[in-house]
Amino acid sequence: MGDHKEQPLRVGAAVRRRRRALELTLAVVAERSGLSVPFLSQVENDRARPSRSSLEKVADALRTTAVELLAAADPACSVDVVRAEEAEPVPQPQVRSLVRGHHQMHASEFTGDHDAGREFQHRNDQLMYVADGAVEIEAEGRAYRLGRGDTLYLTGGVRHRWRATVPETRVLVVAVAEHIEAVQDRHR
């Protein structure tokens, strides 16, 4: 069928593509991330699998997110199904990419609590949809409380942070992928 079988994600090529697109050396990424050049080389060559924490450090150094790198890890396909049962039980917060591969759109599901101290700024526009529970989002100096079924649209470049205010909250985030240069048509 169109389903991917259980295969470990290989993020090396996605890390390398992103690093090269930014015209950075491994040494610069190592300095920004606090990780060693040999380790980063092993990651890029899929000889080492970074922990979640290490992947987030690499993503920050590459001005993207770990979720975006994971989404770009699998080869693109024209039709792909991401099954809900592929997700593990939720003893702790998790992020699940809803679109695999290197596409123009990115979608992720955040389940559980979220690191409210971490600030995000995405280059392109995004939409946040609360599927279950409730969240509080801080953007441009204002706090927004969203409940089940509510959405929040953020223009690219807006710094924001958010946190779940109810246990087992699920938030869907849909965005134009970071590797796409979105058209800046702001004439209103």
Side-chain angles (χ1 to χ4, degrees):
M1 297 254 176
D3 295 357
H4 282 267
K5 300 299 177 214
E6 283 194 34
Q7 298 173 355
L9 287 177
R10 302 175 85 181
V11 299
V15 170
R16 185 182 309 107
R17 276 192 306 270
R18 179 69 178 173
R19 178 178 62 79
R20 287 180 178 169
L22 295 172
E23 298 179 357
L24 299 174
T25 64
L26 279 174
V28 170
V29 176
E31 183 180 322
R32 288 181 179 180
S33 67
L35 301 170
S36 71
V37 171
F39 175 70
L40 291 171
S41 176
Q42 289 178 341
V43 168
E44 283 194 1
N45 291 301
D46 287 317
R47 288 190 297 250
R49 290 184 59 191
S51 67
R52 181 177 178 174
S53 172
S54 292
L55 187 60
E56 286 178 355
K57 289 176 183 179
V58 170
D60 287 344
L62 296 174
R63 298 184 193 115
T64 189
T65 64
V67 173
E68 190 71 32
L69 288 174
L70 288 170
D74 286 339
C77 41
S78 58
V79 177
D80 187 23
V81 176
V82 178
R83 301 274 181 206
E85 61 267 12
E86 289 177 8
E88 298 174 15
V90 188
Q92 57 184 345
Q94 75 173 24
V95 178
R96 180 170 71 108
S97 181
L98 301 176
V99 178
R100 292 184 271 222
H102 200 63
H103 298 290
Q104 294 181 19
M105 182 190 77
H106 179 117
S108 300
E109 176 186 59
F110 294 83
T111 305
D113 202 2
H114 186 69
D115 180 4
R118 184 172 175 150
E119 186 175 66
F120 296 94
Q121 181 180 22
H122 301 284
R123 183 172 70 181
N124 295 327
D125 298 355
Q126 74 175 35
L127 177 78
M128 297 177 77
Y129 171 77
V130 180
D132 283 313
V135 297
E136 185 174 272
I137 302 168
E138 184 183 314
E140 296 187 322
R142 291 187 57 195
Y144 301 89
R145 294 176 190 264
L146 278 67
R148 184 177 183 194
D150 292 342
T151 62
L152 178 82
Y153 173 84
L154 294 164
T155 300
V158 172
R159 292 184 181 277
H160 62 284
R161 65 181 86 230
W162 64 277
R163 68 181 182 92
T165 58
V166 174
E168 298 184 31
T169 291
R170 285 186 331 146
V171 176
L172 304 179
V173 178
V174 179
V176 176
E178 290 290 319
H179 66 278
I180 302 297
E181 190 64 44
V183 177
Q184 295 287 333
D185 184 13
R186 303 285 184 233
H187 303 287
R188 292 182 192 206

